[in-house]
Amino acid sequence: MDTSNPKYELGISLSGGGARGIAHLGVLESLKNHHLEPGIISGASMGAIIGCLYAAGYEARFILEEIKKEKLSRFLSWSLPGDGFLDLEYMEELLAAHIDKNDFSALKKPLFVSVSNLNTGLSEIISKGPLFEYIIASASIPIVFKPRIINNQTYVDGGLLDNLPSTAIRNKCKRLIGVDVNQCEPTDHINGIKEIAERCLRLGVECNVKENLKACDFVIVPKGIQEYYTFDFRKADEIFKIGFDYTEKIIGQIIEMIENPNE
């Protein structure tokens, strides 16, 4: 791809992964501490939610505290109501409370979000238009959350078809960091329908991440993140620390990558 004249020095692509996505905040906090702040962001699912708030100008620790609020944590549970769907209205309220206008133009940094269109069977990258609707669509895990109808099209979790939308911003930044929290390492223990469902979803999503990792100049895969489940939001502090500590450990490599772009 043509990267000869990119507008932004550093971009970041944030994968989906449910509560595991809180590790993105730890990564962003570590980068900030070393004066490395991405100027352009792409994301899927939880990566889209965090990317949205970050692009709106909020710092990582502030976003962490908002996610930790009791009401939100209690809402994001595995228990399904009788009709089989949960609604992400609380997440939409969170976005509306912190972003003045329901439009991508309200963001301080450009954001590109992946969504999965069930009508066409294709992934779409959204960077303009109604912000809250597309962010919630990107995070709407199939079966668990209600799909979003936008312009007569039915949308679900962007991670289903493009869980690390790195190619969406590859030619817009000099260096691109990808953060993948959807690890699917071999396991000896899979117990109950919850773990079976989660394992199936992660394995399917992993296939579309592998190719997009190649578009990144540097990939961060926080060690230990695989120990957490999709709805482990009550362990937000632990997950944040995993992302932060791991990035601190490899920050020298990231700085070297940025300072020596030809290597």
Side-chain angles (χ1 to χ4, degrees):
M1 295 183 182
D2 181 17
T3 59
S4 58
N5 190 30
K7 183 176 180 180
Y8 301 95
E9 290 291 327
L10 181 63
I12 194 165
S13 185
L14 307 175
S15 80
R20 290 184 182 185
I22 296 170
H24 294 319
L25 295 172
V27 173
L28 291 168
E29 179 71 5
S30 174
L31 292 177
K32 184 196 76 170
N33 287 351
H34 295 275
H35 309 290
L36 301 173
E37 298 193 41
I40 186 171
I41 307 103
S42 68
S45 200
M46 193 62 182
I49 292 171
I50 287 173
C52 177
L53 290 167
Y54 180 76
Y58 293 100
E59 295 191 357
R61 288 194 179 275
F62 175 86
I63 300 171
L64 173 65
E65 292 306 314
E66 291 300 300
I67 290 175
K68 284 167 55 180
K69 284 186 175 178
E70 182 182 357
K71 183 178 180 181
L72 182 61
S73 297
R74 185 172 63 248
F75 172 74
L76 289 168
S77 66
W78 187 262
S79 301
L80 300 181
D83 62 4
F85 289 112
L86 290 171
D87 196 309
L88 279 169
E89 63 177 303
Y90 287 138
M91 188 64 76
E92 189 165 1
E93 290 173 4
L94 172 65
L95 297 176
H98 294 91
I99 302 173
D100 293 336
K101 184 181 178 183
N102 182 18
D103 195 277
F104 277 80
S105 64
L107 300 176
K108 297 180 180 180
K109 296 181 180 183
L111 174 69
F112 292 74
V113 173
S114 72
V115 292
S116 300
N117 187 323
L118 290 186
N119 295 91
T120 64
L122 300 174
S123 174
E124 297 179 15
I125 298 295
I126 308 297
S127 60
K128 60 183 179 180
L131 178 64
F132 306 153
E133 287 86 340
Y134 280 115
I135 296 298
I136 298 305
S138 183
S140 295
I141 300 172
I143 306 302
V144 179
F145 295 117
K146 294 179 180 179
R148 281 284 164 140
I149 310 299
I150 307 172
N151 297 327
N152 296 318
Q153 298 294 290
T154 303
Y155 291 97
V156 294
D157 199 313
L160 182 67
L161 299 176
D162 189 356
N163 200 45
L164 188 77
S166 56
T167 56
I169 60 174
R170 172 63 278 187
N171 65 349
K172 297 175 174 60
C173 53
K174 290 182 180 179
R175 307 305 272 171
L176 176 59
I177 295 173
V179 188
D180 180 20
V181 298
N182 187 61
Q183 295 174 350
C184 287
E185 296 180 353
T187 180
D188 295 326
H189 305 287
I190 301 177
N191 301 308
I193 188 171
K194 173 183 173 181
E195 292 189 20
I196 292 172
E198 180 158 342
R199 182 71 173 170
C200 289
L201 180 62
R202 291 198 186 281
L203 287 171
V205 166
E206 184 180 31
C207 295
N208 71 57
V209 170
K210 289 180 178 178
E211 195 62 31
N212 282 352
L213 289 173
K214 298 176 184 178
C216 302
D217 297 297
F218 198 95
V219 176
I220 298 175
V221 183
K223 188 175 181 180
I225 199 67
Q226 71 276 6
E227 301 299 324
Y228 295 87
Y229 294 110
T230 298
F231 294 98
D232 274 345
F233 285 90
R234 291 179 178 84
K235 298 179 180 178
D237 285 323
E238 296 176 28
I239 299 172
F240 176 93
K241 189 174 187 300
I242 283 179
F244 180 84
D245 288 350
Y246 185 77
T247 307
E248 285 290 298
K249 183 181 295 186
I250 61 171
I251 196 66
Q253 299 174 45
I254 298 174
I255 293 172
E256 177 71 17
M257 176 270 296
I258 293 172
E259 292 181 347
N260 298 283
N262 295 323
E263 293 185 7

